[in-house]
Amino acid sequence: MAPPLPGPLANLVPLLEDHGYVALGVLVLLDNGGIPVPGQTILVLAAATAGTGRLDITVVLTVAVLAAVAGDCLGYLVGRSGGRAFVRRWGRYLLLTPARLEKAEDFFDRRGPAVVTVARFVDVLRQTNGIIAGTVGMPWRRFLVYNVLGAVLWVAVWGGLGFAAGTRIGEIYAWFVRSQLTLVVAACALLILLATRWWLHHRNDR
């Protein structure tokens, strides 16, 4: 039996038991393609299940990498084909003006490869980086290279952790949730500090 996860995430256990690699591939693809489903969680769970001998870890990692790359490519195609039209029509309601889109393009010209590579490790960015890259016109070949690199790193880290955890996945997941909350609080505190310093600096300049 696959190791249980705490709370509502335990619902993924029967899904994985019933559909195995297909469930893993579908959720990882959707998660990387712009739809917020628990793709990362099922990757960890599938790898942990492989650690108990119920799945093949080589197949788990291969399916996850292919699905992650395909999902990000779909997001890129969505952004490339309809992203600009969406921004022109609805962007002002989301505070995404043409000027801000131009800044995003400049940013991706300079930092796009790094963003695409590490985006999967950050919720929201994992779902949207392909769409953003397509919208701002990041070259396809460059995007594909760093998309594959990011997918391999992401799957290696989370798949490796899940496989090593095995039957202890529940307690390790609980620890990760606590640690993630601490990191979020620390990041918010740092942002508040930086915003306060910026405000005081500009107020003194007036």
Side-chain angles (χ1 to χ4, degrees):
M1 179 178 180
L5 290 174
L9 295 179
N11 293 331
L12 289 177
V13 173
L15 179 65
L16 188 61
E17 289 180 338
D18 291 342
H19 302 287
Y21 304 114
V22 173
L24 169 66
V26 170
L27 288 185
V28 169
L29 184 147
L30 294 177
D31 187 36
N32 284 260
I35 300 176
V37 298
Q40 181 168 280
T41 302
I42 201 168
L43 167 59
V44 175
L45 181 57
T49 304
T52 67
R54 292 292 303 276
L55 293 174
D56 186 320
I57 187 60
T58 302
V59 178
V60 166
L61 299 180
T62 301
V63 168
V65 168
L66 292 176
V69 170
D72 230 24
C73 287
L74 287 175
Y76 178 93
L77 293 175
V78 168
R80 189 80 175 195
S81 61
R84 288 184 173 278
F86 178 86
V87 170
R88 283 195 297 269
R89 184 168 183 178
W90 304 105
R92 63 182 181 275
Y93 299 111
L94 302 174
L95 302 181
L96 185 58
T97 62
R100 288 176 178 169
L101 180 61
E102 185 176 342
K103 289 182 179 179
E105 290 175 333
D106 292 339
F107 178 80
F108 256 74
D109 283 341
R110 292 179 286 109
R111 303 285 185 235
V115 172
V116 173
T117 300
V118 304
R120 285 184 172 86
F121 293 93
V122 182
D123 284 334
V124 179
L125 268 183
R126 182 169 61 256
Q127 290 84 15
T128 60
N129 81 92
I131 297 172
I132 295 171
T135 299
V136 302
M138 184 177 183
W140 165 251
R141 290 184 179 178
R142 177 186 290 186
F143 169 78
L144 184 59
V145 168
Y146 292 101
N147 173 19
V148 172
L149 176 60
V152 170
L153 291 175
W154 178 68
V155 170
V157 169
W158 288 109
L161 287 174
F163 184 73
T167 56
R168 299 182 61 216
I169 187 62
E171 58 187 275
I172 291 175
Y173 179 82
W175 171 84
F176 172 74
V177 169
R178 292 194 299 270
S179 301
Q180 191 174 48
L181 179 60
T182 302
L183 290 173
V184 169
V185 171
C188 290
L190 178 61
L191 287 174
I192 292 172
L193 176 62
L194 293 174
T196 302
R197 289 186 60 183
W198 178 87
W199 180 76
L200 290 173
H201 175 75
H202 283 268
R203 189 185 68 169
N204 293 334
D205 287 343
R206 291 176 182 175

